[in-house]
């Protein structure tokens, strides 16, 4: 059966480090460093099949900890991170629906006021993009040998990413008329989080063959 994670990401859902990196724009190396240095508390990260993962509500903590938080003293940085985690967990549903809601969040310490909202809001936007990618991308052992493909097609995310990289968006959409711009964005997002292993197979002619095969299957249905 194909795997199709729920569209909505729950606060406690495990997000792999590479997935969190794509959602936040923070490198996986930096995220792992935040874990190793105990800037991220032990309670917010877990292991999934031997790989590190973060609770979804901790992803905004990553964004702040790797950007503005790095400019603070360690004690203030930890206080800010705890505040972000608590706020994200308590307001999760609203933050998913309205990432701008995070802009009310700030840390006051004496005469110092630190804005926490911008990075939290940006992280929630990134998580929403990841949620959309999970909705659009399907992994089915019986389709293309289990390659991640756009739902309803046989077009893999790696073919789309290769096409976009070499030919640009307009040509990619011409080569794959079954895809929308949102499909292309979701596919590239997914491909970054789950890099391909093995030999690359691509090229414009091959992409057209895949697209034609997908169209034939759709017509037959």
């Amino acid at each position: 059966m194909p795997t199709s994670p729920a569209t909505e990401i729950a606060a406690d859902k495990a997000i792999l480090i590479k997935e969190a990196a794509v959602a936040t724009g923070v490198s996986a190396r930096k995220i792992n460093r935040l874990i190793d240095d105990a800037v991220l508390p032990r309670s917010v990260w877990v292991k999934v099949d031997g790989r590190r993962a973060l609770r979804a509500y901790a992803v905004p903590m990553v964004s702040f900890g790797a950007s503005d938080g790095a400019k603070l003293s360690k004690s203030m940085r930890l206080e800010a991170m705890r505040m972000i985690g608590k706020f994200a967990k308590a307001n999760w549903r609203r933050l998913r629906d309205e990432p701008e809601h995070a802009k009310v969040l700030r840390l006051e310490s004496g005469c110092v006021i630190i804005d926490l909202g911008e990075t939290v809001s940006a992280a929630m936007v990134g998580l929403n993009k990841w949620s959309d990618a999970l909705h659009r991308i399907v992994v089915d052992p019986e389709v293309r040998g289990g390659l991640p493909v756009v739902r309803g097609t046989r077009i893999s995310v790696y073919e789309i990413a290769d096409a976009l990289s070499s030919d640009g968006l307009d040509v990619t959409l011409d080569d794959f008329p079954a895809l929308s711009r949102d499909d292309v964005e979701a596919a590239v997002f997914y491909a970054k989080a789950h890099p391909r292993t093995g030999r690359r197979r691509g090229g414009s002619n091959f992409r057209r063959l895949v697209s034609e095969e997908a169209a034939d299957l759709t017509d037959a249905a």
Side-chain angles (χ1 to χ4, degrees):
M1 294 293 292
T3 60
S4 178
T7 303
E8 294 186 351
I9 294 178
D12 285 327
K13 180 178 175 64
I15 307 291
L16 293 175
I17 297 298
K18 284 185 177 180
E19 296 171 348
V22 170
T24 60
V26 177
S27 71
R29 182 178 180 182
K30 283 187 177 181
I31 297 176
N32 279 311
R33 183 66 180 270
L34 291 174
I35 293 173
D36 294 338
D37 291 347
V39 176
L40 284 168
R42 181 63 184 87
S43 59
V44 305
W45 67 272
V46 295
K47 283 198 172 182
V48 177
D49 297 329
R51 295 178 292 175
R52 280 176 169 176
L54 297 175
R55 301 294 186 190
Y57 72 84
V59 172
M61 299 168 69
V62 164
S63 288
F64 181 79
S67 56
D68 292 342
K71 305 170 187 176
L72 305 177
S73 66
K74 186 170 183 178
S75 61
M76 188 169 288
R77 189 186 195 188
L78 291 174
E79 183 180 355
M81 298 279 272
R82 285 193 294 268
M83 179 179 288
I84 290 170
K86 184 177 180 180
F87 180 84
K89 199 170 185 179
N91 296 274
W92 188 252
R93 184 173 294 276
R94 182 168 182 183
L95 285 173
R96 277 189 333 207
D97 296 340
E98 304 173 46
E100 296 294 309
H101 177 60
K103 292 186 177 180
V104 304
L105 186 62
R106 62 183 186 178
L107 172 65
E108 298 184 23
S109 180
C111 60
V112 178
I113 300 176
I114 303 170
D115 177 27
L116 307 178
E118 290 289 343
T119 51
V120 174
S121 177
M124 294 307 300
V125 170
L127 274 174
N128 282 342
K129 287 178 65 177
W130 179 243
S131 176
D132 183 61
L134 293 181
H135 174 69
R136 292 174 184 275
I137 306 305
V138 178
V139 178
D140 184 345
E142 296 183 3
V143 177
R144 302 290 303 279
L147 283 176
V149 300
V150 174
R151 182 185 298 277
T153 77
R154 294 175 59 83
I155 308 169
S156 86
V157 299
Y158 307 117
E159 288 152 2
I160 297 167
D162 288 345
L164 186 66
S165 176
S166 62
D167 299 326
L169 179 60
D170 290 340
V171 174
T172 299
L173 291 172
D174 285 342
D175 281 352
F176 299 117
L179 303 181
S180 68
R181 289 172 181 259
D182 288 339
D183 289 333
V184 171
E185 182 176 348
V188 172
F189 215 57
Y190 192 97
K192 287 180 179 178
H194 295 275
R196 162 184 38 210
T197 58
R199 184 167 60 91
R200 174 173 175 168
R201 187 184 180 189
S204 180
N205 289 337
F206 176 71
R207 294 198 300 270
R208 291 184 184 280
L209 286 173
V210 172
S211 185
E212 289 167 5
E213 179 186 5
D216 290 343
L217 288 172
T218 302
D219 292 342

